[in-house]
Amino acid sequence: MTLELLVTDKEKLADGVVRLTLRATGGGPLPPWEPGAHIDLVLPGDVVRQYSLCGSPEDTSAYQVAVLREPDGRGGSAYVHDELVAGQRVRVDGPRNHFALADAKRYLFIAGGIGITPILPMLDRATATGREWRLVYGGRTRASMAFTADLARHGDRVTVQPQDEHGLLDLPALLAAADEDTAVYCCGPEPLLAAVEALGPPDLHVERFTPKPDNGARTAFEVELAASGRVLPVPADRSILEVAEEAGITVLSSCREGTCGTCETGVLGGLPDHRDSVLTEEERQESEVMMVCVSRSRSPRLVLDL
């Protein structure tokens, strides 16, 4: 769903972080969402960037996102920081949720930098449902860490650890007590996510807004389109999405790098080679769906629900 929303407020939260408040141009309610959801901002030149919703799901009058300026980024965050102003309209896709808060006896939340954003609504939901939880929030410096004042209301359940004061998070110690009754939710920069994944907590949920490193071999294969029986060759240097589009097949897509989930497509036959940053390990094993913008095939042919 594409919406045209009005930027009604833009405020600085921390060094390099601004928060946008977006409302319907007519002032009506916005589509509902649950903790962990994100929206896509469609910026000039059809630049699409995903940002987690960090306000309250109970407030249907507005969406709120926090945007980190990425000095080595591709221009999206720079546009938001330098050019987007209150009173301007912006196109928004979503909301979508690939980081939903599962029911668990207890939660351990680990956030790095701007990765705090999807976790904020989760804390309120976990509190409201009476679950045990703990948040450990790391960042480069205290001044660069958004929402610390708001987090103070949660008391000693929140630990704020700027790297320049305390060093890197002691992940092995944090995860040592994460048993099968503890859902671990982690969002932040790739080194943090990779380190948590390497430690292998039993119930781990992560979210990425930059693609996982892809060092896998790329070979040619075929895709069969179930609706027509048409077979398309996918060469090693092209994606399924690109081949389908060139053949005149409409496939919804957004990020084109395996992070947003828009191009999720049903798999009816064959064995996908999952290279996205969206699906859980269980979903990868089931292989009922795949992200055709980046994922490939382990079998000579895939049959897709297209």
Side-chain angles (χ1 to χ4, degrees):
M1 177 186 299
T2 299
L3 307 169
E4 185 175 69
L5 302 185
L6 184 68
V7 180
T8 59
D9 191 41
K10 176 182 175 180
E11 60 179 317
K12 180 179 178 180
L13 294 182
D15 289 350
V17 180
V18 296
R19 176 169 56 190
L20 303 178
T21 300
L22 309 170
R23 300 181 188 273
T25 54
L30 297 174
W33 60 280
E34 289 292 310
H38 71 269
I39 57 174
D40 297 347
L41 292 188
V42 185
L43 305 174
D46 286 332
V47 172
V48 180
R49 295 292 181 266
Q50 293 82 46
Y51 297 109
S52 296
L53 291 167
C54 58
S56 169
E58 282 68 45
D59 180 7
T60 61
S61 70
Y63 291 154
Q64 290 189 330
V65 297
V67 180
L68 171 69
R69 177 190 285 275
E70 299 279 5
D72 300 321
R74 295 163 294 171
S77 66
Y79 175 83
V80 171
H81 277 256
D82 298 339
E83 300 186 47
L84 193 63
V85 296
Q88 190 170 337
R89 297 187 181 195
V90 61
R91 282 192 296 150
V92 169
D93 284 337
R96 286 187 292 273
N97 199 339
H98 297 285
F99 196 46
L101 186 64
D103 188 32
K105 184 175 181 179
R106 67 182 68 88
Y107 299 96
L108 171 60
F109 300 104
I110 303 174
I114 201 62
I116 189 64
T117 51
I119 289 174
L120 292 170
M122 295 183 180
L123 304 183
D124 290 332
R125 180 62 56 83
T127 300
T129 55
R131 299 298 197 272
E132 298 176 37
W133 62 267
R134 180 188 181 193
L135 164 66
V136 180
Y137 177 23
R140 292 180 293 103
T141 65
R142 193 174 296 273
S144 70
M145 299 171 69
F147 300 105
T148 53
D150 180 65
L151 289 168
R153 64 190 170 92
H154 293 296
D156 60 7
R157 286 191 286 190
V158 173
T159 302
V160 176
Q161 291 191 237
Q163 185 178 339
D164 63 341
E165 298 176 22
H166 302 281
L168 295 173
L169 300 180
D170 187 351
L171 297 177
L174 288 175
L175 295 170
D179 58 17
E180 60 185 13
D181 292 327
T182 302
V184 179
Y185 277 78
C186 183
C187 188
E190 180 59 32
L192 172 66
L193 301 182
V196 171
E197 287 177 328
L199 291 168
D203 187 7
L204 175 62
H205 308 257
V206 301
E207 180 161 60
R208 288 175 165 88
F209 286 128
T210 56
K212 294 176 68 173
D214 180 7
N215 299 316
R218 297 173 64 92
T219 58
F221 56 95
E222 294 178 335
V223 291
E224 179 180 335
L225 311 182
S228 63
R230 190 175 175 187
V231 176
L232 303 176
V234 181
D237 61 346
R238 306 291 284 170
S239 69
I240 299 173
L241 177 61
E242 290 170 332
V243 168
E245 289 177 334
E246 289 170 358
I249 308 301
T250 300
V251 182
L252 291 178
S253 66
S254 181
C255 73
R256 308 180 80 90
E257 59 185 18
T259 59
C260 74
T262 306
C263 69
E264 180 178 300
T265 300
V267 179
L268 305 179
L271 183 61
D273 179 6
H274 297 290
R275 303 191 183 195
D276 63 276
S277 303
V278 176
L279 296 177
T280 65
E281 188 56 39
E282 182 179 356
E283 290 169 330
R284 290 168 182 257
Q285 293 296 327
E286 293 171 348
S287 283
E288 295 179 354
V289 298
M290 67 184 297
M291 306 303 153
V292 295
C293 64
V294 292
S295 295
R296 303 190 66 78
S297 181
R298 298 184 185 277
S299 54
R301 177 179 292 188
L302 288 174
V303 183
L304 301 181
D305 188 16
L306 289 174

